[in-house]
Amino acid sequence: MSARRRILVVEDEPVVAMCLEDLLESLGYEPVGPASRLAEGLELARTEALDAAILDINLGGERSTAVAETLAARGVPFAFASGYGSPPEGMGDRSRLIGKPYREAEVAAMLERMLAG
């Protein structure tokens, strides 16, 4: 049996993070994290073997853009998650944006697109 694909979860709301982890597991992925603070997200983005990531844009007042930049430098695809409808300035277009609250079909489709290359 092949290893499950590892998805970094960067989300500062514990209940939301748990829901996303459950959703990823139900889709057959292995959640990594969750990281609830920018420093945690950066550490995991630098050190963990990852296939993709879902990043909450706002982490307790800090932006997750540094995590996105670290992942991009490693060639790890990522999507931002937001309830506001737009990615951070200079960090891509809406094609890599997942709306909150998380919906299984939307997360599944985004991960399929990201992991397909």
Side-chain angles (χ1 to χ4, degrees), residues 56 63 75 82:
D56 184 9
R63 301 291 237 172
S82 174

Side-chain angles (χ1 to χ4, degrees), residues 8-11 35-46 50 52-57 59 62-80 91:
L8 174 62
V9 174
V10 178
E11 171 62 63
S36 61
R37 301 177 49 103
L38 180 60
E40 291 174 296
L42 281 169
E43 180 66 19
L44 292 173
R46 284 188 197 110
L50 301 167
I54 297 175
L55 313 174
D56 184 9
I57 294 172
L59 302 171
E62 296 181 293
R63 301 291 237 172
S64 63
T65 51
V67 177
E69 290 165 353
T70 299
L71 293 166
R74 291 184 61 195
V76 176
F78 60 87
F80 286 106
M91 293 302 299

